[in-house]
Amino acid sequence: MLIASQPARSCPACGAADSRFLFYSFDQYPYVDCLRCGTWYVPHVVDERMFEEYYKRSSEAYEIVERFTRQRLEPQRADADRARVSAYFSEVEPLVGTDLRNYLDVGCGVGHSLEVAAERGWNACGLETSTSIIEAGRRRGLRIFHPDEVRLEQTFGLVSLWGDS
């Protein structure tokens, strides 16, 4: 089991190391609860490296990620994503000064939010952990980076963590 080989971690809410086992999820992740604060959590580090290893081991899982990426880029889906993100920008732009139009999308997916931002005059970049999704965005000329490959030292007027963009 891949998760069992991951490093242990403390409670993400309070940092305590004391916990007790609760159950295994349907996908065999162990869950514990913190004896200090009661938070339920997976007691192992679950990060992009673990998923990349999983995709190497499972061609079926890798194909799901690839299919997801292709679906996000289909014109009808892409247009719907861009319309949704454009509506978000319409709401938040009045709150951000025109002198601070640097935008960072954490977990930017294939980059539809970055496209919308650029069309609206923002200097846009995104962070993503999936190698195939990063490559798909870069092929379209977007500034998408893996968190390990860049250190962002600029000031951002808007940082988003929107889903499915």
Side-chain angles (χ1 to χ4, degrees), residues 9 11-12 15 18 25 29 31 33 40 45-46 53 68 79-80 91-92 109 119 138 140 144 153:
R9 72 175 183 150
C11 175
D18 295 330
S25 65
Y29 281 39
Y31 275 79
D33 72 333
W40 291 18
V45 174
V46 178
E53 180 62 28
F68 168 79
D79 290 345
E91 291 182 31
V92 299
E119 289 167 3
R138 287 179 177 172
R140 294 181 6 262
I144 301 177
E153 296 182 3

Side-chain angles (χ1 to χ4, degrees), residues 67-84:
R67 186 172 59 239
F68 168 79
T69 302
R70 287 190 303 271
Q71 288 171 348
R72 303 302 302 180
L73 294 171
E74 290 174 358
Q76 185 174 357
R77 181 67 180 264
D79 290 345
D81 281 349
R82 284 191 286 269
R84 178 177 49 83

Side-chain angles (χ1 to χ4, degrees), residues 66 69 73 132 134-142:
E66 291 297 308
T69 302
L73 294 171
S132 64
I134 291 169
E135 291 170 4
R138 287 179 177 172
R139 281 192 299 270
R140 294 181 6 262
L142 300 173

Side-chain angles (χ1 to χ4, degrees), residues 2-122:
L2 191 57
I3 185 92
S5 67
Q6 293 296 103
R9 72 175 183 150
S10 300
C11 175
C14 74
D18 295 330
S19 63
R20 69 177 170 181
F21 175 79
L22 292 172
F23 60 88
Y24 284 101
S25 65
F26 72 92
D27 51 0
Q28 297 305 299
Y29 281 39
Y31 275 79
V32 298
D33 72 333
C34 175
L35 296 178
R36 182 188 302 164
C37 72
T39 298
W40 291 18
Y41 66 99
V42 175
H44 298 281
V45 174
V46 178
D47 62 12
E48 74 279 352
R49 289 174 199 91
M50 186 191 85
F51 284 102
E52 293 296 329
E53 180 62 28
Y54 177 64
Y55 299 143
K56 287 179 190 173
R57 293 182 187 189
S58 171
S59 59
E60 296 86 5
Y62 180 77
E63 178 50 38
I64 290 169
V65 171
E66 291 297 308
R67 186 172 59 239
F68 168 79
T69 302
R70 287 190 303 271
Q71 288 171 348
R72 303 302 302 180
L73 294 171
E74 290 174 358
Q76 185 174 357
R77 181 67 180 264
D79 290 345
D81 281 349
R82 284 191 286 269
R84 178 177 49 83
V85 172
S86 186
Y88 296 157
F89 267 89
S90 293
E91 291 182 31
V92 299
E93 277 179 327
L95 305 173
V96 180
T98 56
D99 59 330
L100 196 53
R101 294 295 169 133
N102 291 325
Y103 168 59
L104 172 65
D105 188 359
V106 179
C108 66
V110 296
H112 295 144
S113 64
L114 304 178
E115 292 171 329
V116 169
E119 289 167 3
R120 297 174 81 105
W122 290 73

